Amino acid sequence: MALIEISNLDKSYTTGKLETKVLIDLEMTANPGEMIMIMGPSGCGKTTLLNLLGGIDKPTDGTITVAGNNLHELSSKELNKFRRTEVGFIFQFYNLIPTLTALENVILGIEAVIQDKKELRERAEKYLKLVGLSDKLDNIPQELSAGEQQRVAIARALAKEPKLILADEPTGNLDEERGENIMELMQKLQKELKMTFLIVSHNSDLKKFVNRTLILRRGKLTPT
Ligand SMILES: Nc1ncnc2c1ncn2[C@@H]1O[C@H](COP(=O)(O)OP(=O)(O)OP(=O)(O)O)[C@@H](O)[C@H]1O
Ligand SMILES: [Mg+2]
């Protein structure tokens, strides 16, 4: 069974009297364990698409199924649970809690999937170490560089070990070597844990890490 199935997806935003059609009759499927890159110009709707897949925003029309969950059929409580347990988000602007340390930010992100306190801490530390931040566990975001904050956000999403990772420019603020390390880490998780990745990026050098690349243009996804 496909992990993601999108059919006839429309998404419009209305501001005042102006309606902007962002996604138009968009179709997409992804299999479990696939790593897919989404490219496209600024404003074409990449973040919008990720938000819809993660249940953060609602379609204007059409259906989205993720891991057997038909998102429009879920109650807001079920949708909340879906977001907290099934999906890992790496946001374009990180969304870290400014008053919490790196370790606490990651722990907060995975509390819905791990109950045991000791296990929770170990899992958070493991992933912060994997992204190269074992010496910054107790720093709050403003004590971290942009790239370090991005890596905390990556650790927070991956540590959940969810079925689906939605990553919005995950390596945008990292140098080339660090970016490639992160892509390799994601590849490893894709293989070992059969996690599915949807990665938005403007960097075509990252194509070599993914199974396929799709372009979002005029509201639709097309293969490259
Ligand atoms: N909440 C909103 N209300 C109104 N318009 C919105 C809203 N969110 C996004 N848009 C519009 O939808 C379009 C797509 O935005 P989106 O953020 O998905 O683009 P993007 O492809 O992620 O761009 P970028 O590469 O710059 O991040 C833009 O024209 C944007 O202005
Ligand atoms: Mg965006």
Side-chain angles (χ1 to χ4, degrees):
M1 201 179 69
L3 186 91
I4 298 174
E5 272 190 51
I6 301 179
S7 61
N8 305 113
L9 178 65
D10 288 326
K11 179 67 185 177
S12 306
Y13 291 110
T14 311
T15 341
K17 278 186 182 154
L18 193 71
E19 189 197 32
T20 317
K21 289 187 177 176
V22 182
L23 306 178
I24 306 160
D25 213 10
L26 182 143
E27 308 273 332
M28 181 194 169
T29 55
N31 291 321
E34 262 199 295
M35 193 178 257
I36 300 170
M37 189 158 121
I38 296 178
M39 301 189 82
S42 178
C44 72
K46 303 178 297 295
T47 299
T48 300
L49 178 63
L50 294 194
N51 288 343
L52 292 169
L53 274 165
I56 290 179
D57 200 356
K58 285 194 186 308
T60 307
D61 202 0
T63 58
I64 302 177
T65 309
V66 178
N69 300 285
N70 197 332
L71 298 192
H72 77 272
E73 284 173 357
L74 301 185
S75 66
S76 57
K77 200 175 158 196
E78 288 167 332
L79 202 57
N80 197 18
K81 181 161 183 255
F82 165 81
R83 270 195 301 265
R84 287 189 295 136
T85 59
E86 307 272 27
V87 193
F89 283 100
I90 302 169
F91 295 98
Q92 198 168 2
F93 304 108
Y94 323 141
N95 288 12
L96 300 176
I97 310 279
T99 53
L100 299 183
T101 65
L103 184 66
E104 289 164 347
N105 263 287
V106 176
I107 287 176
L108 185 69
I110 58 178
E111 267 176 351
V113 291
I114 300 174
Q115 274 72 47
D116 183 75
K117 278 230 159 66
K118 185 162 167 274
E119 204 187 320
L120 199 56
R121 195 191 161 96
E122 282 169 2
R123 175 80 73 89
E125 282 182 2
K126 174 184 160 183
Y127 276 88
L128 281 163
K129 189 173 170 201
L130 283 171
V131 299
L133 287 179
S134 23
D135 58 340
K136 304 278 179 180
L137 300 183
D138 297 325
N139 290 39
I140 59 170
Q142 77 176 44
E143 298 165 347
L144 297 167
S145 74
E148 286 167 346
Q149 291 180 45
Q150 183 154 41
R151 284 186 277 152
V152 174
I154 291 168
R156 177 180 59 186
L158 299 180
K160 210 192 257 186
E161 298 183 353
K163 293 197 181 80
L164 177 63
I165 294 277
L166 300 170
D168 211 344
E169 305 240 27
T171 62
N173 252 311
L174 306 181
D175 61 80
E176 193 180 330
E177 191 184 344
R178 182 65 74 184
E180 299 216 338
N181 287 344
I182 296 287
M183 290 302 291
E184 278 159 9
L185 170 62
M186 293 194 199
Q187 265 186 336
K188 192 162 161 275
L189 295 168
Q190 174 207 17
K191 294 204 174 79
E192 285 174 8
L193 303 174
K194 287 270 179 301
M195 279 158 62
T196 304
F197 288 82
L198 234 65
I199 301 172
V200 166
S201 179
H202 288 286
N203 181 359
S204 51
D205 289 346
L206 300 182
K207 273 187 187 173
K208 58 177 181 275
F209 293 100
V210 301
N211 302 115
R212 57 185 168 115
T213 304
L214 299 170
I215 310 276
L216 184 55
R217 203 184 279 134
R218 290 182 216 96
K220 291 182 174 57
L221 283 171
T222 45
T224 44

